[in-house]
Amino acid sequence: MTGTSSSGMTRRALLGAFAATTVAAAPTFSNAAGFLRGAGDIRRIRMFSGRTGERLDMIYWIEGHYIKDAFAEINHFMRDWRTDEVTNMDLRTVDIMAASHNLLDVNEPYMLLSGYRSPKTNAMLRSRSSGVAKNSLHLKGQAADLRLASRSVHQVARAAMACGGGGVGRYSGSNFTHMDCGSVRSWGG
């Protein structure tokens, strides 16, 4: 299994890069029981973007260590596609996404609708919808809006809530689930 990311890096090359580079120890928050539920010793994130056509299938954490190069690719993938601005995504949000995906027991990648949002994009979306928060966690790289064709919004939300790691919003009318690493809370229908 040698899945490739949007940049064409194979899993084997990524593991080789991991072995050849120094990585920082996983921050304390990632060792919390809520984040580890369903995450395992190897954490992987699988997504595609209908907006850019890009795909990402990436092991980003191995036995307590985040892989720096993997996060650079994740940050680029989750950029504001409207402005092409990139930020450092919060590791906790990616952990919640990966753990939720594992709990759902699917091979299908998430469809990423929104990761990081620039202030310009957030302001534009707020002008079009009352459902967009002025101080959205998307602005800080701490949130993602995701969809799975094979699972309902409620199924995805239940998996995310089982992680106990942040906010989970159900947007059934728009067919997506919001996950963030803010305070534990849930909303929507």
Side-chain angles (χ1 to χ4, degrees):
M1 189 157 84
T2 60
T4 59
S5 69
S6 60
S7 69
M9 182 178 250
T10 66
R11 176 178 172 200
R12 183 167 297 186
L14 180 62
L15 290 173
F18 169 75
T21 60
T22 304
V23 294
T28 304
F29 60 73
S30 68
N31 292 326
F35 288 111
L36 290 178
R37 231 179 264 136
D41 291 335
I42 294 176
R43 297 184 193 169
R44 175 182 183 185
I45 192 73
R46 288 172 280 177
M47 297 182 281
F48 76 94
S49 170
R51 306 289 189 187
T52 66
E54 296 170 326
R55 293 188 170 275
L56 183 83
D57 187 343
M58 178 76 55
I59 291 173
Y60 68 90
W61 188 89
I62 298 175
E63 296 179 353
H65 299 280
Y66 288 100
I67 303 169
K68 184 179 177 181
D69 291 340
F71 260 95
E73 289 196 46
I74 291 168
N75 291 337
H76 181 263
F77 183 87
M78 294 183 75
R79 72 192 180 278
D80 183 331
W81 60 270
R82 290 176 177 91
T83 65
D84 217 31
E85 291 178 56
V86 176
T87 197
N88 289 324
M89 294 300 295
D90 194 303
L91 303 171
R92 297 172 297 175
T93 298
V94 179
D95 283 342
I96 294 165
M97 293 163 54
S100 300
H101 198 262
N102 284 344
L103 289 171
L104 289 162
D105 193 29
V106 295
N107 289 322
E108 169 192 1
Y110 283 124
M111 174 187 273
L112 177 69
L113 302 175
S114 183
Y116 170 66
R117 280 191 211 144
S118 67
K120 179 180 177 181
T121 294
N122 203 66
M124 180 272 296
L125 293 172
R126 273 184 55 74
S127 73
R128 295 180 180 178
S129 171
S130 62
V132 177
K134 181 178 183 179
N135 296 313
S136 170
L137 291 178
H138 287 278
L139 292 162
K140 298 176 183 179
Q142 295 181 328
D145 295 337
L146 305 160
R147 178 182 296 155
L148 284 172
S150 65
R151 298 292 188 265
S152 71
V153 168
H154 293 286
Q155 289 171 315
V156 175
R158 277 195 303 270
M161 287 186 286
C163 295
V168 178
R170 293 176 304 276
Y171 294 88
S172 298
S174 300
N175 190 27
F176 73 87
T177 304
H178 168 97
M179 296 180 199
D180 69 52
C181 63
S183 60
V184 176
R185 66 214 187 284
S186 65
W187 65 93

